[in-house]
Amino acid sequence: MAYKIVPDLCNGCGACESECPSRAISHVEKLYTIDPGKCVECQGSYDSPMCAQLCNTDACVPA
């Protein structure tokens, strides 16, 4: 299951983008989005999804 970013909660800080090992996170119109086709939930790189850990607004959630 991929993660997604809830637009209403995202504050556009960008903390998630640089840590994404699969480069699934992109910046679109002041907000960030996760491409579900690229998201691997950080498997093989981290113990848990870094986007969710780094998000200061809890906008990164399982899709």
Side-chain angles (χ1 to χ4, degrees):
M1 175 188 322
Y3 268 62
K4 67 179 181 179
I5 297 174
V6 178
D8 292 341
L9 297 178
C10 181
N11 66 5
C13 73
C16 58
E17 184 180 28
S18 63
E19 293 299 319
C20 182
S22 61
R23 302 202 186 281
I25 300 174
S26 60
H27 187 245
V28 179
E29 296 182 22
K30 299 182 185 177
L31 299 177
Y32 287 83
T33 61
I34 298 176
D35 180 341
K38 291 183 178 180
C39 179
V40 296
E41 295 183 37
C42 295
Q43 292 178 2
S45 297
Y46 300 105
D47 292 333
S48 61
M50 289 302 291
C51 60
Q53 285 186 33
L54 295 170
C55 183
N56 58 16
T57 63
D58 297 325
C60 296
V61 297

